[in-house]
């Protein structure tokens, strides 16, 4: 049976492409149908129609409010009979709202697997992302073969909400590393060190990281087409601060990167790749 897929943005398209490459047939729903007419998939008119045709539906949306809309809109997922249906949600959700999603799907007789993606477009196309999953153990075991088609590393944290919290914690590293690498790059150029050589040296020195490895060529070429946008990292760091507040835990290293990415959004650069924060330091 075909797999359903909702949310064909940059990351969603990459994951859908990977599933197709791995032999899966996809049927899709996207809020703006015109944005997916170039894709060679059967397009459904509503989430309800999609899940009635598919036992497993992936979602890859920007934030929890978009997930909520897909659930509760007219002819949304919750309007369907979800008995025997499974929703694998790859969205980076709010750690509190995702608890409602577990409950809502459970009450409708379906299964919900909270499975945020760690990684962006390039690794997603190759099936090299990391996935952290929360939900019922039996649902995880049944869906693991699907997850293994799109992810290299799969981790299971049973308790609902923990996968979303882990994703936010990971993105503290991601945003902080990117801000530091960007500032180092701009500073090195001010010292008349050629950017390719500078990044090569950082890549075997203190800057060695998956972040630098993934963004070196984009920084050299100043190609800021989005794999992971400034809007997305800003949203995640804001949610991370909500999490820290709920725990009465101050966050020191998250505050400055969050505001730097906020400045990118304010300057109209929110849709650019988050490595474009380099422009703040260069300018």
């Amino acid at each position: 049976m075909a797999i359903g897929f909702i949310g064909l943005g940059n990351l969603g398209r990459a994951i859908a492409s990977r599933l197709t490459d791995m032999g899966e047939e996809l049927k899709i729903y996207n809020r703006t149908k015109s944005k997916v007419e170039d894709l060679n998939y059967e397009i459904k008119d509503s989430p309800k129609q999609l899940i009635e045709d598919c036992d497993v539906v992936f979602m890859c949306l920007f934030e929890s409010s978009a997930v909520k809309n897909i659930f509760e809109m007219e002819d949304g997922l919750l309007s369907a009979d979800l008995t025997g249906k499974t929703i694998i949600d790859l969205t980076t959700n709010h750690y509190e709202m995702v608890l409602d999603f577990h409950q809502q799907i459970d009450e409708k007789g379906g299964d919900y697997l909270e499975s945020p993606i760690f990684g962006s477009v390039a690794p997603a196309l190759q099936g090299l992302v990391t996935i952290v999953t929360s939900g019922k153990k039996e649902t995880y075991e049944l869906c693991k073969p699907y997850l293994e088609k799109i992810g290299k590393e799969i981790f299971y944290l049973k308790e609902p909400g923990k996968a979303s919290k882990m994703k936010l914690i990971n993105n503290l590293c991601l945003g902080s590393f990117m801000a530091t690498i960007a500032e180092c790059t701009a500073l090195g150029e001010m010292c008349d060190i050629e950017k390719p050589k500078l990044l090569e040296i950082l890549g075997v020195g203190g800057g060695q990281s998956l972040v630098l490895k993934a963004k070196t060529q984009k920084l050299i070429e100043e190609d800021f087409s989005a794999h992971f946008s400034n809007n997305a990292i800003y949203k995640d760091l804001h949610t991370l601060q909500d999490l820290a507040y709920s725990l009465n835990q101050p966050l020191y290293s998250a505050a400055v990167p969050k505001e730097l990415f906020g400045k990118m959004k304010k300057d109209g650069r929110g849709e650019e790749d988050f490595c474009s924060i380099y422009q703040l330091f260069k300018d």
Side-chain angles (χ1 to χ4, degrees), residues 5-9 28-33 35-36 43-44:
F5 205 102
I6 298 174
L8 280 298
I28 66 171
Y29 169 80
N30 202 66
R31 184 176 58 181
T32 307
K33 187 180 288 188
K35 290 184 177 180
V36 295
I43 304 172
K44 294 296 184 179

Side-chain angles (χ1 to χ4, degrees), residues 127-138:
L128 298 177
V129 297
T130 295
I131 305 171
V132 179
T133 295
S134 293
K136 297 173 186 173
K137 184 66 178 291
E138 56 270 27

Side-chain angles (χ1 to χ4, degrees), residues 21-282:
D21 290 345
M22 295 298 289
E24 298 292 345
E25 177 190 354
L26 264 61
K27 298 181 181 182
I28 66 171
Y29 169 80
N30 202 66
R31 184 176 58 181
T32 307
K33 187 180 288 188
S34 62
K35 290 184 177 180
V36 295
E37 288 176 344
D38 62 312
L39 300 176
N40 190 29
Y41 302 126
E42 181 181 341
I43 304 172
K44 294 296 184 179
D45 292 328
S46 69
K48 179 182 180 182
Q49 189 182 91
L50 181 68
I51 204 163
E52 287 175 345
D53 267 13
C54 304
D55 287 341
V56 175
V57 172
F58 280 89
M59 295 196 304
C60 188
L61 302 170
F62 181 70
E63 60 185 350
S64 294
S65 60
V67 175
K68 181 179 173 67
N69 180 60
I70 291 294
F71 279 14
E72 299 179 2
M73 64 186 280
E74 184 179 357
D75 290 329
L77 292 178
L78 293 178
S79 67
D81 179 5
L82 298 183
T83 304
K85 307 291 186 178
T86 300
I87 296 163
I88 303 174
D89 190 359
L90 308 176
T91 307
T92 300
N93 278 299
H94 193 283
Y95 62 95
E96 288 181 334
M97 290 182 71
V98 77
L99 302 180
D100 294 333
F101 303 153
H102 281 276
Q103 182 178 350
Q104 287 175 306
I105 299 303
D106 187 63
E107 288 175 351
K108 292 288 291 185
D111 291 304
Y112 178 81
L113 212 55
E114 165 195 351
S115 305
I117 291 281
F118 293 50
S120 61
V121 171
L125 287 168
Q126 302 172 68
L128 298 177
V129 297
T130 295
I131 305 171
V132 179
T133 295
S134 293
K136 297 173 186 173
K137 184 66 178 291
E138 56 270 27
T139 305
Y140 166 67
E141 294 294 349
L142 285 171
C143 293
K144 192 176 180 182
Y146 291 120
L147 298 176
E148 289 175 335
K149 290 186 177 185
I150 62 175
K152 182 180 179 181
E153 303 286 350
I154 316 293
F155 296 91
Y156 177 63
L157 302 174
K158 181 178 180 180
E159 185 179 333
K162 279 195 174 178
S164 295
K165 291 175 182 177
M166 187 66 240
K167 174 63 187 289
L168 295 173
I169 293 166
N170 177 79
N171 280 12
L172 170 55
C173 289
L174 196 65
S176 299
F177 286 4
M178 189 68 255
T180 298
I181 289 165
E183 187 165 26
C184 288
T185 303
L187 183 61
E189 287 184 285
M190 292 174 194
C191 296
D192 293 324
I193 302 171
E194 292 185 0
K195 186 161 53 175
K197 183 59 66 176
L198 166 73
L199 292 170
E200 181 184 356
I201 295 169
L202 286 175
V204 296
Q208 188 175 101
S209 63
L210 288 174
V211 179
L212 180 55
K213 185 177 180 180
K215 299 304 178 184
T216 292
Q217 201 58 36
K218 290 179 78 67
L219 286 169
I220 290 172
E221 297 174 2
E222 300 194 16
D223 166 21
F224 302 130
S225 56
H227 289 173
F228 183 57
S229 71
N230 288 311
N231 283 341
I233 190 66
Y234 180 62
K235 180 264 296 184
D236 291 349
L237 292 177
H238 181 79
T239 307
L240 178 72
Q241 288 187 322
D242 285 348
L243 174 60
Y245 182 82
S246 72
L247 298 169
N248 196 30
Q249 174 66 36
L251 282 182
Y252 304 105
S253 59
V256 171
K258 179 209 164 187
E259 300 310 327
L260 290 169
F261 291 113
K263 179 69 163 59
M264 295 298 288
K265 181 176 182 178
K266 181 181 179 182
D267 289 351
R269 295 171 169 178
E271 293 299 328
E272 295 178 356
D273 192 87
F274 82 132
C275 71
S276 72
I277 192 177
Y278 156 75
Q279 295 173 103
L280 283 182
F281 301 109
K282 184 176 180 180

